[in-house]
Amino acid sequence: MTTLVVLADPPVEGVVGRSLAETTPLDAEEVVSLYEAMLSDIARAAEAASGQLLVNYRPRDHLDLDADVSPKRRLESVVAEAVDDPEAVRYEVQVGSSHAARVGNTVTHLLEGEEEGSVHVIEPTVPLVTRQGIDSMSMKLRRSPVVLSPGPGGRVGYAGFSEPVDFDGAYEPPAVTSLVEAARAADLDADFVPSLQPVETAADLASVVSVVRARARADRIYPSRTYEWAETHGVYGVEGEDGLDVEKTDSD
């Protein structure tokens, strides 16, 4: 069986999207709503694909949260509304002191402890992931134990594993190179699927909303919640001094 792991933080101001709040016209509340939209689109794509959706989240003591805020309940409120079968979604706490350690612990446990056939690791900021893309990842994993979707700047927002690697340092920038080196060190083949862009910076957001709008206008598959968010908040990618930048128009 395949497990689709979404490494999500609870959608809370100051926890998610801090860089976007600092570098774009969006305020903290709008950044949280963007995160919820992207997470919803990813959950819907994962549910449409074959496999088990697992939302993997950091515990409260790893986050700057009020005592009455439950990471699991905050995530459940978003995912349950997005999917058709909320009861089928698993939720588990991440274990590890770093991103690489948390990915490694999850992947290794699922492959070796639960004997899953493959594990897909999806960041909650890659809304352009699709059921077709997930299926393509699964097909590639039948031939190569490590499959990556490289993103701009050498980042990896989506990776698949059918065998574990040594994850110590595996996500050091550029992550795409580090992960391939970890695969080769374990004498494993690595392959690639088309690039997906994580939304972490202003340039990322400008690029992704532009692609989302273009796909919607062309009547092709697009992440509907992210598209609705961009339309509702009047967020566009526009030409800036150093490439694309974010413009927020009056959406009223």
Side-chain angles (χ1 to χ4, degrees), residues 82-229:
V83 300
D84 293 330
D85 186 6
E87 297 298 320
V89 181
R90 287 175 60 182
Y91 295 85
E92 291 184 0
V93 176
Q94 296 175 18
V95 178
S97 58
S98 67
H99 179 76
R102 291 190 288 271
V103 173
N105 288 332
T106 299
V107 169
T108 302
H109 169 72
L110 289 168
L111 290 177
E112 297 184 344
E114 299 191 14
E115 299 183 343
E116 295 287 7
S118 64
V119 178
H120 299 213
V121 179
I122 308 172
E123 298 294 332
T125 56
V126 285
L128 287 166
V129 67
T130 63
R131 179 189 63 78
Q132 292 86 347
I134 293 170
D135 290 343
S136 176
M137 173 73 81
S138 295
M139 291 291 292
K140 290 264 189 178
L141 284 167
R142 295 178 183 178
R143 299 185 296 272
S144 300
V146 176
V147 180
L148 309 174
S149 170
R155 290 171 293 171
V156 174
Y158 183 17
F161 305 89
S162 59
E163 294 186 36
V165 300
D166 182 354
F167 282 90
D168 186 18
Y171 275 85
E172 288 293 321
V176 65
T177 303
S178 298
L179 282 162
V180 168
E181 289 177 347
R184 300 306 296 150
D187 200 26
L188 300 175
D189 289 337
D191 204 347
F192 303 91
V193 292
S195 176
L196 287 172
Q197 183 159 14
V199 178
E200 298 170 344
T201 68
D204 294 338
L205 178 58
S207 176
V208 167
V209 296
S210 299
V211 173
V212 169
R213 270 203 183 81
R215 295 193 67 84
R217 299 289 193 267
D219 198 24
R220 294 296 184 262
I221 295 171
Y222 65 95
S224 61
R225 300 293 178 87
T226 304
Y227 172 74
E228 291 164 5
W229 177 88

Side-chain angles (χ1 to χ4, degrees), residues 14-38:
V15 174
V16 299
R18 282 177 289 186
S19 176
L20 291 175
E22 294 169 357
T23 61
T24 71
L26 305 177
D27 60 31
E29 183 178 352
E30 290 167 328
V31 167
V32 168
S33 65
L34 167 62
Y35 188 91
E36 292 175 336
M38 294 189 295

Side-chain angles (χ1 to χ4, degrees), residues 51-73:
Q52 167 76 61
L53 173 57
L54 167 59
V55 178
N56 205 221
Y57 59 93
R58 288 189 288 170
R60 183 191 291 110
D61 58 5
H62 286 198
L63 303 164
D64 185 17
L65 295 175
D66 294 336
D68 61 342
V69 175
S70 166
K72 181 181 178 182
R73 285 199 296 270

